Amino acid sequence: MSGRLQGKVALISGTARGQGAAARERFVAEGATVFGGDLNTSTGEAHLDVTDEASVAAWIQRAIDAHDRIDILYNNAGAVRFAAVDDQSLEDWRFTLAAELDSVFLTCKRAWPHLKASRGVILNVGSTAGLTGSMTNQRAAHSASKGGVIALTRQLAAEGAPHGIRVNSISPGMIATPGARENLLAPHHPMRAIADAIPLGRLGTEQDVTPAAVFLCSDEAAYITGANLVIDGGWSVVLPGAQQMKENE
Amino acid sequence: MSARLRGRVIVVTGAGRGQGEAEVKRLAEEGAQVIACDLEPPSSPGSVHGAALDVANPADWADLADRIAQGFGRVDGLINNAAVTSRFRLPEVSLQEWNRVLAINLTGPLLGIQTLLPLMPEGASIVNVGSIAALNGHYTAAYTASKWGLRGLTQTAAMELGARGIRVNAVHPGYIDTPMTATAPAAFLEANLQVTPLGRAGEPEEVAELMVFLMSDESRFINGAEITIDGGQVAGGLATLMSNAARGAGK
């Protein structure tokens, strides 16, 4: 076993299923001690509501009580409500911003003193939604929150550097997680066809994302901070239709 | 020893020193067969195979491809690392100098991709080494233009080669401690450190770790990405300068 995260204490939010569960498994395999958290505690995760500051504070404290330190904070948890801009209620807008952006602020804020002590690392999850607009998915709140996460990452990289804290984001494209299968990849949703527009010709899987998380959270990435690593098979670099034009030549 | 690149055949240009040399060493440690190319062929310890290559010369690339085809039968990775710096200001850069820099920094990677593509199977990975000078304006006109051009080449290649299952990404280093950057005036390093949040130059070995990741299957869904390795300079360099100035003023 290579142990690229040997001896590190990693906090990962949203570990009950999907990307978070895959990350937990991979981080443990690389030698990390993982302290997970989720709203869903049925699989034995510590309770965590990332939109509630008291819940976040309690989660951080439980991790410190158990492991004395935090080396890695991986802000994986999130939740989203999609709707056309004129159909979206303010409540649903706020739900999305709270789950995807407030959440990152709260965990970073509460973990910050411990990350200063350990000269630790934060990994946030942006999205190609934070970089491009979409004609197949009506996602104003999601785009705004993920653009916010990418900007917040850059700012925290600047604020964290004097303390030796590195802060980066990964921005997945279309990953076939359980959450995506329930909405964007459900039958009849136009997003189901987007694999054709991805240069690599397929959707991503959780296993396409976790190795990037391991790399950025490891000491191998010691000079990388403020970066946003896009994991989308090339989706966001092509103009809509460019791939089809090439194939029709 | 881990072997994240076991059995892969990887070509590195500009491999004789600095960043390229460090990359060759790490790739070989992870189990790759490395074709280390430079104007003067680098030494060939173990699984490293030195080769003479002028990246601006199509005939050199054709010779290299022939030898790799005979010796290995395929290319799983290409790191277009070779580059020259050029510090002429816009009014002073000669056409000859402009053409020289573009030939090495931009045409070289194009020739490498075109020539080695027939040897690349599905799953192959190409990395073009850009620069943070490709992400904003920079005072070195020819160098900056060549690196911006390389970004465009990277994104087009990511689109066109993606259908073959070949990935193409760009890495943008900030100030890395190499023989190339050592030729800059000392004030250039000092100014760089003032706008680098981590407050230090990067090491070639740190860039090499990123190359291992991008050459491996760990990055198999990463295509067309632009990855900064700059100590935070692009993300927060200006703010760092202002923050430190304010601190110096007692704020």
Side-chain angles (χ1 to χ4, degrees), chain A residues 20-31:
Chain A
R24 166 200 282 277
E25 186 179 337
R26 185 72 192 248
F27 274 49
V28 167
E30 292 291 354

Side-chain angles (χ1 to χ4, degrees), chain A residues 16-22 175-186 205-206:
Chain A
R17 66 172 192 169
Q19 193 64 65
I175 309 295
T177 59
R181 289 184 194 286
E182 287 163 11
N183 49 50
L184 297 179
L185 300 175
T205 69
E206 289 96 336

Side-chain angles (χ1 to χ4, degrees), chain A:
Chain A
M1 195 177 75
S2 55
R4 291 159 63 199
L5 300 173
Q6 202 67 45
K8 294 187 188 293
V9 175
L11 270 62
I12 306 176
S13 62
T15 41
R17 66 172 192 169
Q19 193 64 65
R24 166 200 282 277
E25 186 179 337
R26 185 72 192 248
F27 274 49
V28 167
E30 292 291 354
T33 299
V34 174
F35 188 83
D38 209 295
L39 265 182
N40 175 353
T41 56
S42 64
T43 54
E45 305 303 309
H47 179 264
L48 171 65
D49 176 353
V50 288
T51 68
D52 180 76
E53 186 161 12
S55 174
V56 169
W59 181 61
I60 300 280
Q61 191 55 52
R62 281 183 66 180
I64 290 296
D65 290 346
H67 304 295
D68 290 327
R69 58 186 289 132
I70 300 172
D71 299 293
I72 296 166
L73 171 65
Y74 179 178
N75 288 309
N76 168 75
V80 61
R81 289 178 183 164
F82 296 118
V85 64
D86 54 340
D87 289 337
Q88 183 141 58
S89 67
L90 182 59
E91 182 192 354
D92 282 359
W93 165 273
R94 284 180 175 156
F95 171 89
T96 303
L97 270 287
E100 294 193 329
L101 185 55
D102 292 2
S103 57
V104 177
F105 163 68
L106 290 174
T107 54
C108 289
K109 175 185 169 182
R110 288 294 180 164
W112 200 255
H114 306 291
L115 293 166
K116 274 186 184 174
S118 67
R119 302 179 73 79
V121 53
I122 293 172
L123 183 65
N124 294 326
V125 180
S127 167
T128 50
L131 302 169
T132 64
S134 173
M135 294 181 72
T136 49
N137 180 20
Q138 295 173 312
R139 61 178 194 203
H142 183 55
S143 295
S145 70
K146 290 302 189 179
V149 168
I150 294 166
L152 178 61
T153 297
R154 295 195 183 109
Q155 178 57 30
L156 294 184
E159 288 192 29
H163 309 294
I165 301 173
R166 294 188 300 111
V167 188
N168 294 294
S169 55
I170 51 176
S171 281
M174 195 64 244
I175 309 295
T177 59
R181 289 184 194 286
E182 287 163 11
N183 49 50
L184 297 179
L185 300 175
H188 311 304
H189 194 289
M191 281 296 263
R192 278 178 71 88
I194 66 100
D196 293 339
I198 297 175
L200 286 184
R202 65 175 177 90
L203 304 177
T205 69
E206 289 96 336
Q207 285 68 36
D208 291 324
V209 175
T210 49
V214 168
F215 172 70
L216 287 171
C217 290
S218 79
D219 293 338
E220 297 160 19
Y223 201 57
I224 302 180
T225 191
N228 177 44
L229 176 53
V230 177
I231 307 171
D232 71 345
W235 190 24
S236 60
V237 304
V238 297
L239 289 170
Q243 186 73 8
Q244 286 76 3
M245 283 166 60
K246 183 177 74 70
E247 282 159 7
N248 291 338
E249 274 169 10

Side-chain angles (χ1 to χ4, degrees), chain B residues 2-244:
Chain B
S2 66
R4 291 156 66 196
L5 301 170
R6 188 197 312 273
R8 298 208 172 200
V9 179
I10 300 175
V11 175
V12 181
T13 68
R17 60 178 195 166
Q19 201 170 286
E21 183 181 23
E23 287 162 11
V24 167
K25 181 165 178 288
R26 273 300 286 138
L27 297 170
E29 284 171 2
E30 292 289 350
Q33 297 287 326
V34 186
I35 320 298
C37 308
D38 215 315
L39 291 171
E40 292 293 324
S43 62
S44 303
S47 61
V48 177
H49 313 272
L53 176 77
D54 173 355
V55 294
N57 185 343
D60 278 13
W61 277 110
D63 284 350
L64 182 72
D66 283 347
R67 285 159 55 201
I68 294 173
Q70 287 166 22
F72 301 93
R74 66 175 205 284
V75 170
D76 303 297
L78 167 63
I79 300 178
N80 282 311
N81 168 75
V84 288
T85 187
S86 171
R87 299 197 177 90
F88 293 97
R89 304 274 168 162
L90 185 59
E92 282 88 37
V93 63
S94 68
L95 181 59
Q96 183 184 18
E97 172 71 356
W98 173 270
N99 286 338
R100 180 183 81 96
V101 173
L102 287 182
I104 295 167
N105 293 4
L106 180 55
T107 311
L110 170 73
L111 294 173
I113 293 169
Q114 284 183 331
T115 315
L116 298 181
L117 192 56
L119 294 172
M120 290 187 179
E122 186 175 341
S125 172
I126 298 169
V127 172
N128 293 326
V129 179
S131 164
I132 57 169
L135 301 173
N136 48 37
H138 211 257
Y139 77 89
T140 54
Y143 181 81
T144 301
S146 73
K147 294 299 190 181
W148 275 83
L150 191 54
R151 282 181 75 192
L153 178 66
T154 302
Q155 299 207 353
T156 297
M159 180 189 80
E160 291 201 17
L161 306 186
R164 301 181 182 213
I166 297 170
R167 304 180 293 106
V168 190
N169 294 291
V171 165
H172 299 302
Y175 193 101
I176 308 297
D177 187 11
T178 68
M180 180 198 274
T181 54
T183 64
F188 181 78
L189 169 60
E190 183 53 36
N192 259 284
L193 296 185
Q194 285 178 10
V195 292
T196 301
L198 285 185
R200 65 176 177 87
E203 296 300 323
E205 290 74 17
E206 293 177 308
V207 180
E209 295 292 354
L210 177 56
M211 294 302 178
V212 169
F213 171 69
L214 289 172
M215 286 291 114
S216 79
D217 276 342
E218 296 162 22
S219 56
R220 64 196 175 190
F221 201 54
I222 299 179
N223 184 33
E226 311 228 28
I227 307 167
T228 50
I229 177 161
D230 69 346
Q233 188 177 138
V234 169
L238 187 59
T240 298
L241 185 64
M242 292 187 292
S243 169
N244 290 342

